[in-house]
Amino acid sequence: MTISQHASVSGRFARILAMGALVVFLAGCNLFGQPKIKEEAIIPPDTLYQQALDEMDKQRYVTAVATLEKLERQHPFSEFNEKAKLMEVYANYRIGKFEEAILAADRYMALYPSSKETPYVLYLKGNSYFGQIKDITRDQQISKDAIETYSLIISNYPDSEYAKDARDKMVIGVDQIAGKEMSVGRYYLGNGNYPAAINRFRVVAEQYQTSTHIEEALYRLTEANLALGLVSEAQTAAAVLGHNYPQSSWYKQAFDLLAKQGVTPQMNAGSSLAQLKKG
């Protein structure tokens, strides 16, 4: 055999060995590289439920949620499911997972629409919105969602133990929305966009009369209308302010502002603002 023939045979033999090694390697990967999926041990539903209760008692809400999810996953038709779903709403709320709590509340009410626990679930849902309310510079959709949820408690379950707290928190939610409107209105007013400012202040005056911003809103309506030369509207806004809140410092400012123009507060019955007069 010549040297060249020997080299050729050796090359072919080396390639065969390499291919064989690759096959063995791939087979090994297939046999040993992929770990077997470990099946989840099935635990009786009453055991899981009691475990979740114990975890809740110890305020271990994160692990309680995991146990409740396992209960629902392993025993979707268990007699404990309704209670488990209720506990899931509460546990998520307690650990500040507000979005999860809201979803769990909606799921519970969809599955058990006539449950006696509905007022409580609505209360937890409303509190989950309430817990997300930011300062007045942010979008106030969360405040609106909280108010809507609390309104359902007040209108449908007025005698429930949650109604009073729902009313109290609604006041805060309303104040939050009104504060946002006032903030935007002041911005427009400061930039000379008086029509836009008036629109914002009117929203507060007409829709959020129970808020702490109502007196300033009426004063700002006086100020913005005067700036546009709408003297009669300005007089009416000030007159409503004086009638409803005669001791208000905002009324004194409105009175002084009109006096500089040589006029006084006067109710114009043709103005929609006159409808805001109490009594």
Side-chain angles (χ1 to χ4, degrees):
M1 182 179 292
T2 65
I3 293 176
S4 62
Q5 289 174 327
H6 177 77
S8 177
V9 170
S10 297
R12 285 198 299 274
F13 183 68
R15 285 194 296 274
I16 291 171
L17 285 177
M19 290 179 64
L22 178 61
V23 170
V24 171
F25 174 75
L26 292 175
C29 288
N30 188 49
L31 291 173
F32 308 109
Q34 296 180 356
K36 292 182 179 179
I37 299 175
K38 186 176 181 180
E39 293 185 2
E40 184 178 66
I42 302 300
I43 303 173
D46 57 335
T47 302
L48 286 171
Y49 180 69
Q50 187 58 52
Q51 181 182 334
L53 281 177
D54 293 341
E55 290 164 347
M56 295 278 280
D57 287 340
K58 296 174 183 176
Q59 298 186 1
R60 295 168 56 187
Y61 299 113
V62 174
T63 52
V65 168
T67 302
L68 292 168
E69 289 174 346
K70 182 183 289 187
L71 171 59
E72 294 181 47
R73 183 170 63 252
Q74 292 190 356
H75 308 283
F77 304 107
S78 163
E79 61 181 301
F80 300 102
N81 269 7
E82 181 174 349
K83 292 180 180 178
K85 286 180 171 61
L86 178 61
M87 290 166 61
E88 197 173 337
V89 180
Y90 176 75
N92 277 304
Y93 167 69
R94 282 302 303 267
I95 59 179
K97 289 189 173 182
F98 297 131
E99 290 298 330
E100 289 84 349
I102 292 166
L103 290 173
D106 287 338
R107 184 164 59 247
Y108 180 91
M109 290 186 289
L111 290 171
Y112 312 105
S114 57
S115 170
K116 65 178 182 179
E117 300 293 348
T118 298
Y120 178 55
V121 174
L122 278 171
Y123 180 66
L124 290 176
K125 180 181 178 181
N127 285 353
S128 294
Y129 282 127
F130 190 83
Q132 298 179 75
I133 292 176
K134 307 296 182 184
D135 61 78
I136 62 172
T137 63
R138 309 291 183 87
D139 177 72
Q140 293 301 309
Q141 184 57 50
I142 290 292
S143 298
K144 294 175 183 177
D145 291 336
I147 290 170
E148 181 180 348
T149 306
Y150 288 137
S151 294
L152 289 174
I153 298 174
I154 295 166
S155 59
N156 296 326
Y157 309 98
D159 299 322
S160 75
E161 59 185 296
Y162 313 107
K164 182 183 183 304
D165 194 49
R167 289 189 185 93
D168 292 341
K169 287 179 176 173
M170 268 188 67
V171 170
I172 297 173
V174 166
D175 220 60
Q176 193 78 8
I177 297 172
K180 174 66 174 181
E181 295 291 336
M182 291 299 298
S183 177
V184 177
R186 290 189 209 99
Y187 171 80
Y188 286 137
L189 187 66
N191 284 276
N193 190 345
Y194 302 118
I198 288 171
N199 287 338
R200 295 290 181 160
F201 298 138
R202 285 186 74 102
V203 167
V204 177
E206 295 172 359
Q207 298 180 25
Y208 303 109
Q209 296 179 37
T210 59
S211 78
T212 59
H213 302 280
I214 180 63
E215 296 171 31
E216 183 186 355
L218 288 167
Y219 167 75
R220 298 298 178 188
L221 284 170
T222 305
E223 182 181 12
N225 277 301
L226 266 184
L228 281 178
L230 302 175
V231 178
S232 179
E233 282 291 283
Q235 288 177 292
T236 302
V240 171
L241 177 55
H243 178 84
N244 294 346
Y245 311 98
Q247 304 304 317
S248 170
S249 62
W250 291 108
Y251 175 58
K252 183 179 184 309
Q253 292 182 61
F255 189 94
D256 293 342
L257 194 62
L258 290 174
K260 291 178 182 179
Q261 304 296 319
V263 293
T264 59
Q266 184 175 328
M267 197 75 68
N268 174 16
S271 170
S272 59
L273 291 175
Q275 306 304 314
L276 302 177
K277 176 183 174 183
K278 295 179 181 179

